[in-house]
Amino acid sequence: MNPSPRKTFNAGFTDAKYQEFLSKLNEGLHSPVQFRVAETPVFLTTDFRDRLSAAGNDIVDTILRPGFKELTERAIPDKWRVANETGHPHFIAIDFGVCKDEYGNIVPKLIEMQGFPSLYGFQILLGDVYADVFDIAGDETVYFNGLNKASYIDLLRKTIIGDCKPAEVVLMDVNAPEQKTAVDFYITEKYLGIPVVSLTELVQQQNKLFYKTDSGLQLIKRIYNRLIFDEIDNDPEIFEKVVDIRKPVDVEWITHPNWFYRISKFTMPFLSGDYIPKTQFLHQVDYLPADLENYVLKPLFSFAGQGVIIDVTLDDTRSIKDPENWILQQKVNYEPVVQSPDGGVKAEIRLLYLWPDGDEKPTLAINLARLSRGKMIGVRYNKDFDWVGGTIAFMPR
């Protein structure tokens, strides 16, 4: 971590300034932010930024290899397979823990990855408000590859809207206004001019989809998909009430729902390298490691940390009835590298890529960071702490 901006930030920090930051962050929003935002951003050195970029690019290279789709066919549950899959994902998010290696070096270690959008809109605002309220130096940026706010928004627009008109593109989720990430939806609507709709608002006529406007039905050409099927899995009759989006319809998916599964925990056993923890499908483990306490068990088909077994025992491995749907992953030990007023805090950095149609490969564009003092990264493990929650990383331009 970069000690110079950290020292400056901490010296000027007050709770009053943090409250001012939260007030300004929520100013003019459709509704207040529904998750905890940390008191501080993360400050990366140029060296660590470059390590992150190199680690992320190695993973992206695996996704770009011929045969990746064939390799990940089993990742997609049959009941959630959607027709008309695109040739590539439009979004890739890769999570790295900030760790210490055996030589004492601070290094990124892969935690998870997803072929699904993250807070691509909210992070713009978050970076702006941190910089404004806390007077972060102008030579620090939240963007990669020489992007700035304007060029980043242009790339986001190219990815999501493409050649369509904004009115022909919808950001869609189940019960969109009620989602904890709704703040990102409406910020994206503000930047790009695309409407936010819920699954129940889709109207199908033959093989075309529409949504209602004051002047009638508007044809949908592209769906910026924010729906995760886990959220409707508890309703087996859901597609008797709403449009069955799994079936062939004349619409472009940005990004296609199948990529949520292809680029996920399922991909991790196929990766290797200095920044990749040892990961195996549980059913392919010939001999369980003697130090099981240094591993975690993760279900393939869950999200937000649900179902993860942290302190693994032999009984845990034996009790799992579908080992082909679990991975055994070497534990990643976060190093508390972010200095708060009362000690170190653990950090995770999410690299966010954009891949518009027509581009040869994805572009690393912006980032998301999370701070934790708990056993895991995530709200439920950090309820009683400060200097934790969602944030963003600044780095030298």
Side-chain angles (χ1 to χ4, degrees), residues 99-117:
C99 306
K100 184 180 283 187
D101 67 14
E102 61 269 32
Y103 306 108
N105 301 311
I106 301 301
V107 297
K109 286 285 186 180
L110 178 65
I111 304 298
E112 284 188 3
M113 54 199 294
Q114 57 184 34
F116 191 77

Side-chain angles (χ1 to χ4, degrees), residues 49 52-54 56-57 92 143-147 152 155 350-354 361-367 395:
R49 176 203 65 196
L52 274 171
S53 298
N57 289 339
I92 300 173
Y143 303 101
F144 292 89
N145 287 310
L147 293 170
Y152 171 77
L155 183 62
R350 175 175 293 177
L351 301 183
L352 297 178
Y353 294 78
L354 289 168
K361 60 182 181 179
T363 297
L364 176 56
I366 198 169
N367 76 88
M395 51 210 153

Side-chain angles (χ1 to χ4, degrees), residues 24-312:
K24 187 159 188 177
L25 188 66
N26 284 303
E27 193 176 282
L29 294 183
H30 180 270
S31 59
V33 179
Q34 296 297 305
F35 49 87
R36 193 179 199 284
V37 180
E39 285 82 344
T40 180
V42 177
F43 296 102
L44 304 180
T45 61
T46 301
D47 176 68
F48 194 79
R49 176 203 65 196
D50 293 345
R51 288 184 186 224
L52 274 171
S53 298
N57 289 339
D58 283 348
I59 293 168
V60 168
D61 285 345
T62 298
I63 296 167
L64 293 174
R65 286 177 193 161
F68 181 78
K69 273 195 172 186
E70 289 75 10
L71 195 68
T72 55
E73 274 299 295
R74 189 175 71 83
I76 307 167
D78 288 339
K79 70 175 179 177
W80 298 130
R81 189 179 291 272
V82 177
N84 300 329
E85 185 175 328
T86 54
H88 66 80
H90 295 85
F91 309 93
I92 300 173
I94 307 176
D95 292 343
F96 290 96
V98 182
C99 306
K100 184 180 283 187
D101 67 14
E102 61 269 32
Y103 306 108
N105 301 311
I106 301 301
V107 297
K109 286 285 186 180
L110 178 65
I111 304 298
E112 284 188 3
M113 54 199 294
Q114 57 184 34
F116 191 77
S118 191
L119 304 180
Y120 282 86
F122 178 70
Q123 294 305 103
I124 306 170
L125 174 67
L126 186 60
D128 282 351
V129 179
Y130 270 127
D132 181 35
V133 174
F134 292 102
D135 298 317
I136 293 171
D139 58 356
E140 295 282 323
T141 182
V142 300
Y143 303 101
F144 292 89
N145 287 310
L147 293 170
N148 56 30
K149 181 178 178 179
S151 57
Y152 171 77
I153 292 174
D154 284 345
L155 183 62
L156 192 65
R157 182 181 295 108
K158 181 182 177 184
T159 303
I160 295 173
I161 298 177
D163 295 328
C164 297
K165 298 174 182 177
E168 298 170 332
V169 183
V170 297
L171 187 158
M172 187 273 293
D173 199 346
V174 58
N175 301 323
E178 300 172 20
Q179 295 291 329
K180 283 190 175 181
T181 52
V183 60
D184 178 71
F185 301 171
Y186 292 103
I187 288 173
T188 304
E189 179 182 52
K190 174 185 172 183
Y191 285 134
L192 304 186
I194 62 175
V196 176
V197 303
S198 296
L199 177 61
T200 53
E201 297 178 86
L202 298 181
V203 177
Q204 183 170 1
Q205 293 184 357
Q206 297 180 332
N207 69 332
K208 297 188 181 297
L209 295 182
F210 302 81
Y211 66 97
K212 293 179 181 178
T213 69
D214 292 340
S215 56
L217 291 179
Q218 168 65 54
L219 177 67
I220 299 171
K221 293 186 177 180
R222 280 188 161 200
I223 294 178
Y224 175 28
N225 180 50
R226 302 300 294 266
L227 186 151
I228 297 173
F229 284 124
D230 292 54
E231 296 179 4
I232 57 175
D233 195 29
N234 60 353
D235 185 355
E237 299 175 351
I238 181 69
F239 290 124
E240 296 176 17
K241 309 169 194 173
V242 299
V243 171
D244 190 343
I245 56 175
R246 300 169 300 178
K247 293 182 178 178
V249 286
D250 186 13
V251 71
E252 296 177 51
W253 289 97
I254 311 296
T255 190
H256 194 281
N258 291 357
W259 285 104
F260 173 78
Y261 297 103
R262 291 191 184 280
I263 302 174
S264 64
K265 293 186 286 286
F266 187 92
T267 316
M268 293 183 65
F270 303 109
L271 303 173
S272 61
D274 292 340
Y275 304 131
I276 313 295
K278 183 179 180 182
T279 306
Q280 293 176 277
F281 293 111
L282 185 57
H283 73 293
Q284 293 180 347
V285 176
D286 295 325
Y287 299 98
L288 288 169
D291 59 337
L292 266 179
E293 68 276 7
N294 292 322
Y295 287 76
V296 295
L297 274 170
K298 295 182 177 181
L300 291 177
F301 305 114
S302 72
F303 67 104
Q306 295 180 21
V308 174
I309 301 173
I310 303 171
D311 300 310
V312 182

